Amino acid sequence: MKRPRVLSGVQPTGKMHVGNYLGALKNFVELQNSGKYECFFMIADYHSITEDYDPETKPQQIIDLALDFLALGLDPKKSIIFLQSQVPQHLELAWIFSTLTPVSELVRMTQYKDKAARQEKNINAGLFTYPVLQAVDILIYRPQFVPVGQDQLQHLELANDIAKKFNRRFGETFQAIKPLLTPAARVMGLLDPAKKMSKSEPEGCLFLTDEPEELAKKLKKAVTDTAPTGPEKTPGVANLFDLLDHFGTKDHIERFHQLYKNRTIKYAELKGLLADRVADHFAEFRQRRKALAGKPETIKQILAAGSNAAKKIAIRTLAEVKQKIGLAL
Ligand code: TYM
């Protein structure tokens, strides 16, 4: 029997952080290792050029993300790991999908609004049509499930809308996709816990490659309250407890919840423990990553092989679509 298909993507825009990990990457590895799914994991390089970037450093950012994937445990023998720009069929289908997407839907996208506010001088058309390309990334492989963090849900809804619209107009072609969220689908920034953890705020962001001292320094500065005020935790404190849920042992979790309840918690102690736990959790990752970093040619070969496998499927979907919309002579 055919296994259900899973697909997701990550932009190569810099270092991976604990938000990416808990919201998505950890889940990628678990889904892959469960053996129950046919998995596709994509490096979304075409998406990444909608932000300000330097063409000199982009190749390294792509390699870096592939290193993160592999060092975290994604395995090219078990998953198709590929590079978006090596499957040009995405761009052809993106044009077709863009003719089915109302501008009014794109204007509503919160990620577009956030990014447009952040990069006022570079509000390019690609940033605007970004969710159309993301719909293609997904639908072209006809997966059932898409593991992502919460910030991507609106994009997945749009992908489902585009699929429905296509089916209504041209006949049943694309099935609905379901997001797979983790319990930490929205990790918040350490310095501004009203905003999601993001590399655009590096001081409040725990990178997976951060050395232990760096992690400790950043966690020390994390915003908390001066003392617990009631059962309702402030956003900064709630975020630290969320991290504890993922990186602490059962005993740690129980102890700190009790200390919070008794109002005798010392946040410095919680932060110190978290720094140690996060550093330990990624120690093996950091080592594996360093070892792999010396082999960029191997990384390139893995991406080329994955992209070739992905391309075979993309070509088939595109041919079917062109036939259905009346562009296949
Ligand atoms: P990107 O590269 O911004 O992030 C990669 C994944 O990490 C999740 N994430 C978070 N989860 C929890 N807390 C956070 N603070 C946090 N920050 C990031 C994201 O939700 C995402 O799952 N548009 C996508 C890339 C993409 C894609 C796709 C995803 C392109 N094509 C097709 C799925 C399917 C993006 O920018 O993710």
Side-chain angles (χ1 to χ4, degrees), residues 12-13 45 48-58 61 122:
T13 44
D45 56 344
S48 76
I49 63 171
T50 61
E51 289 182 20
D52 296 327
Y53 75 102
D54 176 359
E56 295 289 324
T57 53
K58 188 53 76 183
Q61 287 185 323
N122 183 13

Side-chain angles (χ1 to χ4, degrees), residues 270-297:
L270 172 60
K271 291 172 175 182
L273 172 82
L274 277 174
D276 290 345
R277 298 292 300 177
V278 174
D280 283 357
H281 188 90
F282 294 111
E284 204 186 308
F285 161 81
R286 289 194 302 274
Q287 245 171 26
R288 282 215 289 220
R289 197 181 186 288
K290 279 180 195 151
L292 285 165
K295 305 176 190 162
E297 287 313 311

Side-chain angles (χ1 to χ4, degrees), residues 53-299:
Y53 75 102
D54 176 359
E56 295 289 324
T57 53
K58 188 53 76 183
Q60 191 56 46
Q61 287 185 323
I62 295 169
I63 299 281
D64 279 342
L65 181 53
L67 287 172
D68 290 334
F69 276 7
L70 298 172
L72 282 172
L74 293 186
D75 177 350
K77 292 199 194 80
K78 297 183 187 160
S79 297
I80 293 182
I81 300 171
F82 72 102
L83 184 59
Q84 186 182 36
S85 67
Q86 289 181 352
V87 188
Q89 288 72 22
H90 286 227
L91 300 186
E92 275 191 75
L93 188 54
W95 178 258
I96 298 168
F97 278 3
S98 74
T99 66
L100 294 170
T101 311
V103 167
S104 57
E105 288 293 313
L106 295 177
V107 173
R108 285 180 47 236
M109 295 289 130
T110 53
Q111 185 166 304
Y112 168 68
K113 287 192 267 192
D114 287 351
K115 287 193 178 170
R118 246 192 285 141
Q119 55 187 71
E120 266 179 342
K121 295 205 174 80
N122 183 13
I123 306 179
N124 59 80
L127 192 65
F128 187 61
T129 56
Y130 179 118
V132 177
L133 182 57
Q134 183 163 347
V136 170
D137 298 337
I138 301 167
L139 296 173
I140 204 165
Y141 300 102
R142 306 172 199 256
Q144 281 83 354
F145 300 109
V146 185
V148 283
Q150 204 179 50
D151 61 343
Q152 297 300 314
L153 289 182
Q154 202 184 24
H155 290 167
L156 301 200
E157 275 168 30
L158 182 72
N160 272 333
D161 288 346
I162 293 174
K164 268 194 227 143
K165 202 159 185 182
F166 188 98
N167 292 347
R168 264 201 309 271
R169 178 120 188 253
F170 304 109
E172 199 60 30
T173 309
F174 298 108
Q175 58 182 325
I177 47 151
K178 287 200 188 73
L180 294 179
L181 290 184
T182 69
R186 193 169 169 81
V187 179
M188 308 311 278
L190 299 179
L191 296 184
D192 182 358
K195 289 198 197 133
K196 66 172 183 174
M197 183 176 282
S198 154
K199 51 204 154 217
S200 58
E201 297 282 350
E203 291 303 308
C205 185
L206 301 173
F207 294 109
L208 307 195
T209 48
D210 279 348
E211 294 294 337
E213 312 77 63
E214 190 77 29
L215 294 169
K217 208 167 95 192
K218 288 182 185 169
L219 275 159
K220 223 178 235 167
K221 292 197 192 134
V223 172
T224 55
D225 46 28
T226 39
T229 44
E232 198 65 39
K233 297 185 180 73
T234 56
V237 173
N239 196 40
L240 293 182
F241 270 93
D242 282 346
L243 293 176
L244 183 68
D245 277 345
H246 292 280
F247 294 107
T249 63
K250 204 164 155 264
D251 282 354
H252 295 140
I253 297 168
E254 273 169 19
R255 190 161 76 83
F256 277 98
H257 275 286
Q258 196 55 45
L259 289 170
Y260 182 86
K261 231 164 114 192
N262 302 341
R263 304 191 181 189
T264 50
I265 188 166
K266 291 201 174 61
Y267 291 122
E269 199 191 326
L270 172 60
K271 291 172 175 182
L273 172 82
L274 277 174
D276 290 345
R277 298 292 300 177
V278 174
D280 283 357
H281 188 90
F282 294 111
E284 204 186 308
F285 161 81
R286 289 194 302 274
Q287 245 171 26
R288 282 215 289 220
R289 197 181 186 288
K290 279 180 195 151
L292 285 165
K295 305 176 190 162
E297 287 313 311
T298 311
I299 305 291

